[in-house]
Amino acid sequence: MTTQQLIEQIKKKQSFLCVGLDVDLNKIPAHFLELEDPIFEFNKAIIDATHDLAVAYKPNTAFFEAYGIKGWISLQKTINYINDNHPEIFTIADAKRGDIGNTSSMYAKAFFEDLSFDSVTVAPYMGKDSVEPFLAFEGKHTIMLALTSNEGAFDFQTLNVDGEELYKRVLETSKSWKNSQNLMYVVGATKAEYFTEIRKIVPNSFLLVPGVGAQGGSLSEVCKYGMNENVGLLINSSRGIIYASKEADFAEKARAEALKMQQEMAAILQS
Amino acid sequence: MTTQQLIEQIKKKQSFLCVGLDVDLNKIPAHFLELEDPIFEFNKAIIDATHDLAVAYKPNTAFFEAYGIKGWISLQKTINYINDNHPEIFTIADAKRGDIGNTSSMYAKAFFEDLSFDSVTVAPYMGKDSVEPFLAFEGKHTIMLALTSNEGAFDFQTLNVDGEELYKRVLETSKSWKNSQNLMYVVGATKAEYFTEIRKIVPNSFLLVPGVGAQGGSLSEVCKYGMNENVGLLINSSRGIIYASKEADFAEKARAEALKMQQEMAAILQS
């Protein structure tokens, strides 16, 4: 999917909502556990209930891998279900991968070719040759960690490197990499004041923003400082939507939460 | 497996060799491609040919994931084969994972519980709460990236952070984390002179060392600066051993390469 197609979808749906699919079998309605593939069936129900309100889905690979081969089958079925039924949706493999060049090429093959995701999240620690193999795929997007929403973000990401914070250096350096136009960045919503600084470095890039809702970030604050003329934001919500209820009404409640976010987004887009 | 058991195995085998299982279907003897599970069958042949010379095997998850569900099945069969037949061997899931707390817990579950690896490699960028969930598993080891062997290592890992290099800060900070006694570190062999500095920070930790052989690092140099009184090193070789030949003699040639390394190691241990 091209960036332009993503922007068009945002304008059409009046939404820049990404729904995170982090399925923990302990947190879904009990009746799913009797089905052959509870993870896929739960994801399918969430997708059916929210696909007109969201522009992106983000399966979190850890929550599939934890269930071994069965989990990987659920991941395959989930991405296929989205691609087959809602090809306009932008798909994100939240995998946080990154390794030396020939290994990163294999990860890129796994997520872009074998599973047909539009994008994958990667970690920056190993530098240029660990990320460029992902960037080489045309029509695919690589979403690199910049400033995350967890407490540990302050351990290394905000360290002072020659007068600026490490995450800023990561953003700046990545702009010089080959095919850097295929980069997006993860920026946590819990630190809305940082968006002004980040937009000085990457004014045009899309930012994937976790941390709104469950983790306490404010949608309006993030938009105020982080939005650009092409919107440039994908706001992720996982637990706030998919675990809105553990009862039979879970899908309705998930839709209600997604609708609330979409309506806030529409109001921001129209203001 | 406890660290003590690993040390005993090293002394008994007179080896601190780790064999990396990075199986690319384009690089293995053609007759494997006719089998139902070429990746597992190739790994099995390599393990059969080298298990008395190596103390650890390191399947690289990317090379399994690239083949989707079939690849994950090969990974499961490979780790089961090692655990069932050579329980003394230390197993490393080279996965470079790391994410917010509840996600890292799921990755830990995937590799430590579902697949029964002894250890997993992780990336440090997201800090303390992205690594501690791995450290919470008793008898399991978490091998964190410190200074890698690729060119991109110099993009961020060696940046100056308040007068010292970032990778040193990563090493120091990690020592304060809960259950940090379960940490080992990845340190590339291509920079042997760095080992002196690293040993000042983590004198007792095991270091997993890629980059000897194919990537140009010297075994004797690494041992000179990096070895401690419990050896404290696992030297990885992947391509140099598993792709020693693409012909019918691939297993013999792999054994010959492993034997060469084991003999060098025995000489160093006895000197």
mmCIF file with all atom_site columns, all heavy atoms in Angstrom, chain B residues 137-154:
data_model
loop_
_atom_site.group_PDB
_atom_site.id
_atom_site.type_symbol
_atom_site.label_atom_id
_atom_site.label_alt_id
_atom_site.label_comp_id
_atom_site.label_asym_id
_atom_site.label_entity_id
_atom_site.label_seq_id
_atom_site.pdbx_PDB_ins_code
_atom_site.Cartn_x
_atom_site.Cartn_y
_atom_site.Cartn_z
_atom_site.occupancy
_atom_site.B_iso_or_equiv
_atom_site.pdbx_formal_charge
_atom_site.auth_seq_id
_atom_site.auth_comp_id
_atom_site.auth_asym_id
_atom_site.auth_atom_id
_atom_site.pdbx_PDB_model_num
ATOM 1   N N   . PHE B 1 137 ? 12.419 -15.470 34.608 1.00 0.00 ? 137 PHE B N   1
ATOM 2   C CA  . PHE B 1 137 ? 12.336 -16.939 34.464 1.00 0.00 ? 137 PHE B CA  1
ATOM 3   C C   . PHE B 1 137 ? 13.569 -17.605 35.072 1.00 0.00 ? 137 PHE B C   1
ATOM 4   O O   . PHE B 1 137 ? 14.692 -17.423 34.588 1.00 0.00 ? 137 PHE B O   1
ATOM 5   C CB  . PHE B 1 137 ? 12.205 -17.311 32.985 1.00 0.00 ? 137 PHE B CB  1
ATOM 6   C CG  . PHE B 1 137 ? 10.835 -17.068 32.417 1.00 0.00 ? 137 PHE B CG  1
ATOM 7   C CD1 . PHE B 1 137 ? 10.384 -15.771 32.183 1.00 0.00 ? 137 PHE B CD1 1
ATOM 8   C CD2 . PHE B 1 137 ? 9.981  -18.126 32.156 1.00 0.00 ? 137 PHE B CD2 1
ATOM 9   C CE1 . PHE B 1 137 ? 9.115  -15.539 31.685 1.00 0.00 ? 137 PHE B CE1 1
ATOM 10  C CE2 . PHE B 1 137 ? 8.715  -17.907 31.649 1.00 0.00 ? 137 PHE B CE2 1
ATOM 11  C CZ  . PHE B 1 137 ? 8.273  -16.606 31.414 1.00 0.00 ? 137 PHE B CZ  1
ATOM 12  N N   . GLU B 1 138 ? 13.331 -18.395 36.103 1.00 0.00 ? 138 GLU B N   1
ATOM 13  C CA  . GLU B 1 138 ? 14.442 -19.056 36.784 1.00 0.00 ? 138 GLU B CA  1
ATOM 14  C C   . GLU B 1 138 ? 15.065 -20.139 35.902 1.00 0.00 ? 138 GLU B C   1
ATOM 15  O O   . GLU B 1 138 ? 14.350 -20.873 35.206 1.00 0.00 ? 138 GLU B O   1
ATOM 16  C CB  . GLU B 1 138 ? 13.921 -19.703 38.074 1.00 0.00 ? 138 GLU B CB  1
ATOM 17  C CG  . GLU B 1 138 ? 14.957 -19.729 39.187 1.00 0.00 ? 138 GLU B CG  1
ATOM 18  C CD  . GLU B 1 138 ? 14.389 -20.331 40.469 1.00 0.00 ? 138 GLU B CD  1
ATOM 19  O OE1 . GLU B 1 138 ? 13.186 -20.144 40.725 1.00 0.00 ? 138 GLU B OE1 1
ATOM 20  O OE2 . GLU B 1 138 ? 15.144 -21.000 41.173 1.00 0.00 ? 138 GLU B OE2 1
ATOM 21  N N   . GLY B 1 139 ? 16.370 -20.211 35.924 1.00 0.00 ? 139 GLY B N   1
ATOM 22  C CA  . GLY B 1 139 ? 17.064 -21.227 35.124 1.00 0.00 ? 139 GLY B CA  1
ATOM 23  C C   . GLY B 1 139 ? 17.117 -20.900 33.644 1.00 0.00 ? 139 GLY B C   1
ATOM 24  O O   . GLY B 1 139 ? 17.542 -21.717 32.828 1.00 0.00 ? 139 GLY B O   1
ATOM 25  N N   . LYS B 1 140 ? 16.654 -19.690 33.286 1.00 0.00 ? 140 LYS B N   1
ATOM 26  C CA  . LYS B 1 140 ? 16.704 -19.245 31.893 1.00 0.00 ? 140 LYS B CA  1
ATOM 27  C C   . LYS B 1 140 ? 17.621 -18.025 31.807 1.00 0.00 ? 140 LYS B C   1
ATOM 28  O O   . LYS B 1 140 ? 17.826 -17.321 32.812 1.00 0.00 ? 140 LYS B O   1
ATOM 29  C CB  . LYS B 1 140 ? 15.300 -18.870 31.404 1.00 0.00 ? 140 LYS B CB  1
ATOM 30  C CG  . LYS B 1 140 ? 14.296 -20.013 31.481 1.00 0.00 ? 140 LYS B CG  1
ATOM 31  C CD  . LYS B 1 140 ? 14.599 -21.135 30.494 1.00 0.00 ? 140 LYS B CD  1
ATOM 32  C CE  . LYS B 1 140 ? 13.523 -22.226 30.530 1.00 0.00 ? 140 LYS B CE  1
ATOM 33  N NZ  . LYS B 1 140 ? 13.777 -23.297 29.546 1.00 0.00 ? 140 LYS B NZ  1
ATOM 34  N N   . HIS B 1 141 ? 18.144 -17.771 30.617 1.00 0.00 ? 141 HIS B N   1
ATOM 35  C CA  . HIS B 1 141 ? 19.129 -16.701 30.436 1.00 0.00 ? 141 HIS B CA  1
ATOM 36  C C   . HIS B 1 141 ? 18.695 -15.752 29.323 1.00 0.00 ? 141 HIS B C   1
ATOM 37  O O   . HIS B 1 141 ? 18.140 -16.182 28.314 1.00 0.00 ? 141 HIS B O   1
ATOM 38  C CB  . HIS B 1 141 ? 20.492 -17.316 30.114 1.00 0.00 ? 141 HIS B CB  1
ATOM 39  C CG  . HIS B 1 141 ? 20.932 -18.324 31.137 1.00 0.00 ? 141 HIS B CG  1
ATOM 40  N ND1 . HIS B 1 141 ? 21.777 -18.024 32.176 1.00 0.00 ? 141 HIS B ND1 1
ATOM 41  C CD2 . HIS B 1 141 ? 20.578 -19.624 31.312 1.00 0.00 ? 141 HIS B CD2 1
ATOM 42  C CE1 . HIS B 1 141 ? 21.951 -19.095 32.930 1.00 0.00 ? 141 HIS B CE1 1
ATOM 43  N NE2 . HIS B 1 141 ? 21.236 -20.083 32.427 1.00 0.00 ? 141 HIS B NE2 1
ATOM 44  N N   . THR B 1 142 ? 18.972 -14.480 29.542 1.00 0.00 ? 142 THR B N   1
ATOM 45  C CA  . THR B 1 142 ? 18.583 -13.444 28.593 1.00 0.00 ? 142 THR B CA  1
ATOM 46  C C   . THR B 1 142 ? 19.852 -12.789 28.076 1.00 0.00 ? 142 THR B C   1
ATOM 47  O O   . THR B 1 142 ? 20.651 -12.270 28.861 1.00 0.00 ? 142 THR B O   1
ATOM 48  C CB  . THR B 1 142 ? 17.690 -12.414 29.302 1.00 0.00 ? 142 THR B CB  1
ATOM 49  O OG1 . THR B 1 142 ? 16.580 -13.115 29.857 1.00 0.00 ? 142 THR B OG1 1
ATOM 50  C CG2 . THR B 1 142 ? 17.208 -11.351 28.337 1.00 0.00 ? 142 THR B CG2 1
ATOM 51  N N   . ILE B 1 143 ? 20.047 -12.876 26.773 1.00 0.00 ? 143 ILE B N   1
ATOM 52  C CA  . ILE B 1 143 ? 21.304 -12.424 26.180 1.00 0.00 ? 143 ILE B CA  1
ATOM 53  C C   . ILE B 1 143 ? 21.042 -11.103 25.463 1.00 0.00 ? 143 ILE B C   1
ATOM 54  O O   . ILE B 1 143 ? 20.444 -11.076 24.386 1.00 0.00 ? 143 ILE B O   1
ATOM 55  C CB  . ILE B 1 143 ? 21.869 -13.494 25.221 1.00 0.00 ? 143 ILE B CB  1
ATOM 56  C CG1 . ILE B 1 143 ? 21.884 -14.874 25.907 1.00 0.00 ? 143 ILE B CG1 1
ATOM 57  C CG2 . ILE B 1 143 ? 23.261 -13.090 24.748 1.00 0.00 ? 143 ILE B CG2 1
ATOM 58  C CD1 . ILE B 1 143 ? 22.373 -16.017 25.012 1.00 0.00 ? 143 ILE B CD1 1
ATOM 59  N N   . MET B 1 144 ? 21.474 -10.012 26.082 1.00 0.00 ? 144 MET B N   1
ATOM 60  C CA  . MET B 1 144 ? 21.141 -8.689  25.560 1.00 0.00 ? 144 MET B CA  1
ATOM 61  C C   . MET B 1 144 ? 22.213 -8.141  24.635 1.00 0.00 ? 144 MET B C   1
ATOM 62  O O   . MET B 1 144 ? 23.411 -8.270  24.898 1.00 0.00 ? 144 MET B O   1
ATOM 63  C CB  . MET B 1 144 ? 20.916 -7.724  26.728 1.00 0.00 ? 144 MET B CB  1
ATOM 64  C CG  . MET B 1 144 ? 20.300 -6.425  26.290 1.00 0.00 ? 144 MET B CG  1
ATOM 65  S SD  . MET B 1 144 ? 19.674 -5.465  27.681 1.00 0.00 ? 144 MET B SD  1
ATOM 66  C CE  . MET B 1 144 ? 21.208 -4.780  28.271 1.00 0.00 ? 144 MET B CE  1
ATOM 67  N N   . LEU B 1 145 ? 21.779 -7.508  23.564 1.00 0.00 ? 145 LEU B N   1
ATOM 68  C CA  . LEU B 1 145 ? 22.716 -6.856  22.650 1.00 0.00 ? 145 LEU B CA  1
ATOM 69  C C   . LEU B 1 145 ? 23.478 -5.768  23.396 1.00 0.00 ? 145 LEU B C   1
ATOM 70  O O   . LEU B 1 145 ? 22.874 -4.919  24.046 1.00 0.00 ? 145 LEU B O   1
ATOM 71  C CB  . LEU B 1 145 ? 21.963 -6.191  21.489 1.00 0.00 ? 145 LEU B CB  1
ATOM 72  C CG  . LEU B 1 145 ? 21.165 -7.093  20.559 1.00 0.00 ? 145 LEU B CG  1
ATOM 73  C CD1 . LEU B 1 145 ? 20.473 -6.239  19.494 1.00 0.00 ? 145 LEU B CD1 1
ATOM 74  C CD2 . LEU B 1 145 ? 22.090 -8.111  19.903 1.00 0.00 ? 145 LEU B CD2 1
ATOM 75  N N   . ALA B 1 146 ? 24.792 -5.782  23.280 1.00 0.00 ? 146 ALA B N   1
ATOM 76  C CA  . ALA B 1 146 ? 25.602 -4.690  23.818 1.00 0.00 ? 146 ALA B CA  1
ATOM 77  C C   . ALA B 1 146 ? 26.307 -4.031  22.632 1.00 0.00 ? 146 ALA B C   1
ATOM 78  O O   . ALA B 1 146 ? 25.904 -2.962  22.181 1.00 0.00 ? 146 ALA B O   1
ATOM 79  C CB  . ALA B 1 146 ? 26.592 -5.212  24.847 1.00 0.00 ? 146 ALA B CB  1
ATOM 80  N N   . LEU B 1 147 ? 27.311 -4.729  22.094 1.00 0.00 ? 147 LEU B N   1
ATOM 81  C CA  . LEU B 1 147 ? 28.077 -4.183  20.970 1.00 0.00 ? 147 LEU B CA  1
ATOM 82  C C   . LEU B 1 147 ? 28.072 -5.237  19.864 1.00 0.00 ? 147 LEU B C   1
ATOM 83  O O   . LEU B 1 147 ? 28.678 -6.294  20.019 1.00 0.00 ? 147 LEU B O   1
ATOM 84  C CB  . LEU B 1 147 ? 29.510 -3.896  21.431 1.00 0.00 ? 147 LEU B CB  1
ATOM 85  C CG  . LEU B 1 147 ? 30.444 -3.239  20.432 1.00 0.00 ? 147 LEU B CG  1
ATOM 86  C CD1 . LEU B 1 147 ? 29.930 -1.862  20.018 1.00 0.00 ? 147 LEU B CD1 1
ATOM 87  C CD2 . LEU B 1 147 ? 31.842 -3.116  21.009 1.00 0.00 ? 147 LEU B CD2 1
ATOM 88  N N   . THR B 1 148 ? 27.396 -4.957  18.784 1.00 0.00 ? 148 THR B N   1
ATOM 89  C CA  . THR B 1 148 ? 27.215 -5.987  17.754 1.00 0.00 ? 148 THR B CA  1
ATOM 90  C C   . THR B 1 148 ? 28.350 -5.952  16.728 1.00 0.00 ? 148 THR B C   1
ATOM 91  O O   . THR B 1 148 ? 29.185 -5.046  16.737 1.00 0.00 ? 148 THR B O   1
ATOM 92  C CB  . THR B 1 148 ? 25.835 -5.846  17.088 1.00 0.00 ? 148 THR B CB  1
ATOM 93  O OG1 . THR B 1 148 ? 25.704 -4.543  16.523 1.00 0.00 ? 148 THR B OG1 1
ATOM 94  C CG2 . THR B 1 148 ? 24.731 -6.067  18.110 1.00 0.00 ? 148 THR B CG2 1
ATOM 95  N N   . SER B 1 149 ? 28.366 -6.940  15.848 1.00 0.00 ? 149 SER B N   1
ATOM 96  C CA  . SER B 1 149 ? 29.519 -7.124  14.962 1.00 0.00 ? 149 SER B CA  1
ATOM 97  C C   . SER B 1 149 ? 29.320 -6.509  13.585 1.00 0.00 ? 149 SER B C   1
ATOM 98  O O   . SER B 1 149 ? 30.186 -6.624  12.725 1.00 0.00 ? 149 SER B O   1
ATOM 99  C CB  . SER B 1 149 ? 29.798 -8.623  14.817 1.00 0.00 ? 149 SER B CB  1
ATOM 100 O OG  . SER B 1 149 ? 28.650 -9.278  14.278 1.00 0.00 ? 149 SER B OG  1
ATOM 101 N N   . ASN B 1 150 ? 28.175 -5.853  13.385 1.00 0.00 ? 150 ASN B N   1
ATOM 102 C CA  . ASN B 1 150 ? 27.898 -5.307  12.045 1.00 0.00 ? 150 ASN B CA  1
ATOM 103 C C   . ASN B 1 150 ? 28.352 -3.855  11.939 1.00 0.00 ? 150 ASN B C   1
ATOM 104 O O   . ASN B 1 150 ? 28.638 -3.186  12.936 1.00 0.00 ? 150 ASN B O   1
ATOM 105 C CB  . ASN B 1 150 ? 26.394 -5.411  11.757 1.00 0.00 ? 150 ASN B CB  1
ATOM 106 C CG  . ASN B 1 150 ? 25.555 -4.599  12.734 1.00 0.00 ? 150 ASN B CG  1
ATOM 107 O OD1 . ASN B 1 150 ? 25.854 -4.551  13.926 1.00 0.00 ? 150 ASN B OD1 1
ATOM 108 N ND2 . ASN B 1 150 ? 24.514 -3.965  12.234 1.00 0.00 ? 150 ASN B ND2 1
ATOM 109 N N   . GLU B 1 151 ? 28.372 -3.366  10.719 1.00 0.00 ? 151 GLU B N   1
ATOM 110 C CA  . GLU B 1 151 ? 28.795 -1.987  10.448 1.00 0.00 ? 151 GLU B CA  1
ATOM 111 C C   . GLU B 1 151 ? 27.904 -0.978  11.183 1.00 0.00 ? 151 GLU B C   1
ATOM 112 O O   . GLU B 1 151 ? 28.374 0.022   11.729 1.00 0.00 ? 151 GLU B O   1
ATOM 113 C CB  . GLU B 1 151 ? 28.691 -1.771  8.936  1.00 0.00 ? 151 GLU B CB  1
ATOM 114 C CG  . GLU B 1 151 ? 29.419 -0.582  8.408  1.00 0.00 ? 151 GLU B CG  1
ATOM 115 C CD  . GLU B 1 151 ? 29.042 -0.339  6.943  1.00 0.00 ? 151 GLU B CD  1
ATOM 116 O OE1 . GLU B 1 151 ? 28.912 -1.321  6.174  1.00 0.00 ? 151 GLU B OE1 1
ATOM 117 O OE2 . GLU B 1 151 ? 28.849 0.838   6.589  1.00 0.00 ? 151 GLU B OE2 1
ATOM 118 N N   . GLY B 1 152 ? 26.596 -1.265  11.213 1.00 0.00 ? 152 GLY B N   1
ATOM 119 C CA  . GLY B 1 152 ? 25.639 -0.355  11.850 1.00 0.00 ? 152 GLY B CA  1
ATOM 120 C C   . GLY B 1 152 ? 25.820 -0.224  13.359 1.00 0.00 ? 152 GLY B C   1
ATOM 121 O O   . GLY B 1 152 ? 25.205 0.653   13.978 1.00 0.00 ? 152 GLY B O   1
ATOM 122 N N   . ALA B 1 153 ? 26.648 -1.061  13.950 1.00 0.00 ? 153 ALA B N   1
ATOM 123 C CA  . ALA B 1 153 ? 26.934 -0.950  15.385 1.00 0.00 ? 153 ALA B CA  1
ATOM 124 C C   . ALA B 1 153 ? 27.444 0.450   15.724 1.00 0.00 ? 153 ALA B C   1
ATOM 125 O O   . ALA B 1 153 ? 27.217 0.967   16.814 1.00 0.00 ? 153 ALA B O   1
ATOM 126 C CB  . ALA B 1 153 ? 27.968 -1.994  15.799 1.00 0.00 ? 153 ALA B CB  1
ATOM 127 N N   . PHE B 1 154 ? 28.136 1.071   14.752 1.00 0.00 ? 154 PHE B N   1
ATOM 128 C CA  . PHE B 1 154 ? 28.721 2.392   14.996 1.00 0.00 ? 154 PHE B CA  1
ATOM 129 C C   . PHE B 1 154 ? 27.726 3.543   14.815 1.00 0.00 ? 154 PHE B C   1
ATOM 130 O O   . PHE B 1 154 ? 28.061 4.693   15.053 1.00 0.00 ? 154 PHE B O   1
ATOM 131 C CB  . PHE B 1 154 ? 29.946 2.596   14.093 1.00 0.00 ? 154 PHE B CB  1
ATOM 132 C CG  . PHE B 1 154 ? 31.026 1.590   14.357 1.00 0.00 ? 154 PHE B CG  1
ATOM 133 C CD1 . PHE B 1 154 ? 31.240 0.521   13.503 1.00 0.00 ? 154 PHE B CD1 1
ATOM 134 C CD2 . PHE B 1 154 ? 31.810 1.707   15.495 1.00 0.00 ? 154 PHE B CD2 1
ATOM 135 C CE1 . PHE B 1 154 ? 32.229 -0.416  13.757 1.00 0.00 ? 154 PHE B CE1 1
ATOM 136 C CE2 . PHE B 1 154 ? 32.808 0.776   15.767 1.00 0.00 ? 154 PHE B CE2 1
ATOM 137 C CZ  . PHE B 1 154 ? 33.020 -0.284  14.901 1.00 0.00 ? 154 PHE B CZ  1
#
